[in-house]
Amino acid sequence: MTDIQLEPTKLDLLHVEDDTTLDKETSKYTGHKMLEEAKKAAEREHALGIVDALKAYPYAVLWSFIVSMTIIMEGYDTNLIGNFFAYPQFKEYYGNYYPGLGREVSGPWQVALTDAQSIGTFFGVLINGYASKQFGHKKVLLVSLVLMIAFVFLTVFAPSVEVLFVGQLLCGFPWGVFATIGPAYASEVCPLALRGYLTSYINLCFATGQLISAGVLYGCKDIDNEWSFRIPFAVQWAWPAPLIVILYFAPDSPWWLVRKNRLADAEKAMRRLCAKNSPTSPEQMIALIVHTNNLELQLETGDSYFDCFKGTDLRRTEISCVSFAGQVLAGSQFAYSPTYFFEQAGMDTSQAYKMNIGGTALAFFGTCLSWIFMTFLGRRTIYISGMAAMSTLLIVVGFLSLAPESNSSALWGQAALTVLWLFSFSMSVGPVGWAIPSETSSTRLRQKTVCLARNAYYISSIIAGVLSPYMINPTEWNWKGKTGFFWGGSAFLTTVWAYFRLPETKGRTFAELDVLFEKRVPARKFRSYAVNAYLDEIDEIIKQDDTENTPV
């Protein structure tokens, strides 16, 4: 494969990834006119408010919403397995008898079932990093939805815990695709003013899945046979078929089409994403995409997994991975599946499931509330304050667990603080954790960086999935609420990391972020640092006068 070569200091040529010549359609995206059009597009992106952006890009919002709805399935199942361990019929069918305790799913099998999904999604994410580059988001998404329909059969009709494990493992493959295509697609098709809202909307989809599963679990708990847990698994068939039909008509990402040198198709896709009266023309937006792609090539940004760990992209990968893993380090494995914890702490099954429904409803509301905070506060502020709050709540849960088991007030205090943790998570680290990787990564490495970040989350989930059942299970360590000390400590360490390493990305175009990272601007100075990413010369951009910038 031969690339058209760029001059070493100019940003006025087009990089292509296929053998081609510059035709009439391509040539209009070269030269200084293209640079001027890109600058105009960036200026209009900055000028657009939320309402104007919604009017200018209604179809981008619609398609981003629909693509992100695939995450509902992962959120739904994530809430199933952890809460099934408290389900009487599930324990009767898949558990073992323990004298004095009755039937319980053993600690090792709790670990296996909890981690099966994370292991599957880990490999699904890695595959998606390559597949999306080659075939685009749309085709990969459609194939994954078809596979999802097939793999759910195994979980619904699993005759043994071993088959259930395999079913969960295989379902993880398409879930890994959904979890990484959602934020990447949203960040690429949406305007700057809406980027944070629509990437964080993914967390709302996740919370929606958990809320639905909490309701289904509560509704099926009194069925006195194996269908009490088979029906909740079967409900997962409700999503893939209609989504396949709808997403067949979705436009592919203009960024992916530009990298494939399909500029005419990129223009068509952009026209399908914006309104006819949009203040920024599709041609100008494509010019901005071409310019950003060229800028990253001049900064020697590659497009392989290895490139994610080279130069300034190493820092961007670190930020993406740790911020996503922070969702687990904040204690989600403990507090996001609270029914089993509530039951082991002394609450009866009915009360435990009611608390779970209340918690997931608050999580849904908290994510909606986070959009208000994102209007006025940056990603960095929300992430750090949220992580600090959750650390405090978990440590207090730990202290309350030191009270005698006969103290019902302490028990209900732990339950209330766990629900409050859910609310805090959903207002802060939950939604912002999805936005940060898709904004921090370079555009050429976005899909792979998001994949690595999500896998950092899954690796953390696997480790937490091994530890958490042993911490709470009465047949193992039996820590109960003292588990809060462990996760409160990990959340505190993540808070310290975020203070020193997490930059502010709100209000920055991708080209501007490229320059900020290339200039190695400290994380705490990102918000106020002045930068011009639309000069003629790459040397002018990187050597821009730093006297313009006032330290934070």
Side-chain angles (χ1 to χ4, degrees):
M1 184 174 68
T2 304
D3 291 348
I4 294 176
Q5 297 298 313
L6 294 167
E7 294 177 27
T9 59
K10 294 285 185 181
L11 297 175
D12 57 1
L13 292 179
L14 174 70
H15 174 79
V16 295
E17 297 187 355
D18 301 302
D19 290 320
T20 187
T21 56
L22 291 176
D23 55 22
K24 182 178 179 181
E25 189 65 35
T26 302
S27 61
K28 68 180 179 180
Y29 292 110
T30 62
H32 294 284
K33 186 175 185 303
M34 181 274 292
L35 191 61
E36 286 302 314
E37 293 298 297
K39 186 176 181 181
K40 289 178 184 177
E43 289 171 350
R44 287 172 182 169
E45 283 278 282
H46 280 295
L48 275 180
I50 296 172
V51 175
D52 291 335
L54 287 169
K55 292 178 180 178
Y57 296 91
Y59 307 111
V61 174
L62 176 64
W63 286 117
S64 176
F65 265 53
I66 294 172
V67 169
S68 296
M69 285 178 68
T70 57
I71 305 295
I72 291 175
M73 288 179 280
E74 186 183 6
Y76 179 91
D77 189 84
T78 299
N79 203 42
L80 280 188
I81 288 297
N83 287 296
F84 269 151
F85 298 147
Y87 225 55
Q89 293 80 11
F90 188 87
K91 291 191 290 186
E92 183 68 27
Y93 196 87
Y94 293 117
N96 299 313
Y97 179 77
Y98 292 90
L101 296 173
R103 295 190 73 84
E104 292 281 346
V105 178
S106 67
W109 273 115
Q110 284 192 21
V111 170
L113 292 175
T114 301
D115 284 347
Q117 173 194 347
S118 297
I119 295 169
T121 47
F122 177 89
F123 289 104
V125 163
L126 285 180
I127 293 170
N128 183 45
Y130 292 106
S132 289
K133 176 191 173 184
Q134 185 65 32
F135 304 108
H137 300 318
K138 178 179 172 179
K139 290 180 181 178
V140 175
L141 201 55
L142 291 173
V143 170
S144 298
L145 286 165
V146 172
L147 292 175
M148 188 75 218
I149 294 174
F151 295 154
V152 167
F153 271 97
L154 285 173
T155 62
V156 173
F157 300 107
S160 65
V161 70
E162 291 84 359
V163 176
L164 180 60
F165 169 81
V166 173
Q168 287 291 105
L169 182 72
L170 292 176
C171 284
F173 281 84
W175 283 328
V177 172
F178 304 151
T180 47
I181 283 184
Y185 187 85
S187 66
E188 291 188 349
V189 303
C190 296
L192 180 62
L194 302 177
R195 193 174 67 199
Y197 301 101
L198 292 175
T199 50
S200 63
Y201 162 75
I202 296 168
N203 192 70
L204 183 64
C205 292
F206 203 87
T208 300
Q210 294 189 316
L211 180 60
I212 293 171
S213 68
V216 172
L217 284 167
Y218 185 74
C220 294
K221 69 180 177 61
D222 293 327
I223 299 175
D224 194 22
N225 57 52
E226 63 191 65
W227 285 102
S228 67
F229 60 85
R230 297 201 189 281
I231 288 173
F233 279 128
V235 170
Q236 294 176 99
W237 278 321
W239 286 276
L243 284 174
I244 288 171
V245 175
I246 296 170
L247 290 174
Y248 179 80
F249 300 98
D252 240 319
S253 164
W255 290 83
W256 179 75
L257 292 167
V258 165
R259 287 192 288 271
K260 289 295 181 181
N261 196 37
R262 294 167 54 184
L263 299 188
D265 291 336
E267 272 191 33
K268 291 177 184 177
M270 187 60 70
R271 291 182 193 282
R272 292 186 60 195
L273 294 169
C274 61
K276 291 183 179 179
N277 60 348
S278 173
T280 306
S281 70
E283 290 85 355
Q284 288 176 331
M285 288 304 300
I286 298 302
L288 178 58
I289 295 172
V290 170
H291 170 70
T292 304
N293 187 55
N294 288 348
L295 174 61
E296 292 183 358
L297 285 166
Q298 293 287 349
L299 298 176
E300 298 183 348
T301 298
D303 59 3
S304 69
Y305 275 120
F306 180 74
D307 290 312
C308 293
F309 300 96
K310 292 170 60 178
T312 57
D313 284 301
L314 174 61
R315 180 187 178 192
R316 300 170 89 152
T317 301
E318 175 216 330
I319 293 165
S320 300
C321 289
V322 179
S323 61
F324 229 149
Q327 292 182 336
V328 179
L329 298 174
S332 61
Q333 193 73 36
F334 168 62
Y336 235 121
S337 297
T339 305
Y340 186 67
F341 161 65
F342 291 155
E343 188 182 68
Q344 296 306 320
M347 195 176 291
D348 68 53
T349 302
S350 179
Q351 289 176 325
Y353 275 100
K354 287 178 181 177
M355 288 293 293
N356 183 42
I357 293 174
T360 50
L362 272 177
F364 182 94
F365 176 68
T367 302
C368 296
L369 197 60
S370 73
W371 291 351
I372 299 175
F373 293 148
M374 291 178 73
T375 304
F376 304 102
L377 302 173
R379 323 290 191 245
R380 172 184 164 86
T381 303
I382 295 172
Y383 193 96
I384 293 174
S385 58
M387 189 67 74
M390 288 184 289
S391 174
T392 303
L393 289 170
L394 289 169
I395 291 172
V396 174
V397 167
F399 278 113
L400 286 176
S401 71
L402 299 177
E405 293 187 8
S406 58
N407 189 330
S408 61
S409 297
L411 169 62
W412 282 100
Q414 291 176 66
L417 289 173
T418 304
V419 171
L420 186 57
W421 180 98
L422 282 168
F423 187 54
S424 301
F425 179 89
S426 300
M427 285 193 298
S428 57
V429 175
V432 173
W434 288 94
I436 291 170
S438 55
E439 292 185 326
T440 304
S441 56
S442 62
T443 61
R444 289 180 60 79
L445 287 171
R446 180 178 295 120
Q447 188 62 58
K448 288 184 170 61
T449 304
V450 170
C451 287
L452 288 171
R454 193 59 182 168
N455 267 348
Y457 169 90
Y458 289 132
I459 290 171
S460 301
S461 294
I462 290 170
I463 296 171
V466 171
L467 293 174
S468 190
Y470 281 91
M471 291 175 179
I472 300 174
N473 196 308
T475 68
E476 303 296 343
W477 301 345
N478 197 26
W479 285 6
K480 298 182 179 178
K482 298 179 185 67
T483 306
F485 287 126
F486 180 88
W487 294 117
S490 70
F492 173 75
L493 293 176
T494 308
T495 304
V496 174
W497 169 86
Y499 179 79
F500 290 103
R501 298 294 292 169
L502 183 64
E504 181 54 70
T505 56
K506 181 185 178 184
R508 296 291 194 179
T509 67
F510 292 126
E512 290 165 352
L513 289 171
D514 286 338
V515 175
L516 287 168
F517 278 109
E518 185 65 22
K519 297 183 73 159
R520 293 173 172 78
V521 175
R524 285 171 286 175
K525 294 184 179 181
F526 258 59
R527 189 182 187 96
S528 60
Y529 204 94
V531 62
N532 181 359
Y534 305 97
L535 301 174
D536 266 350
E537 302 281 348
I538 187 66
D539 291 339
E540 291 178 34
I541 294 174
I542 302 305
K543 295 178 181 178
Q544 183 180 344
D545 187 5
D546 288 345
T547 59
E548 299 175 14
N549 300 287
T550 303
V552 177

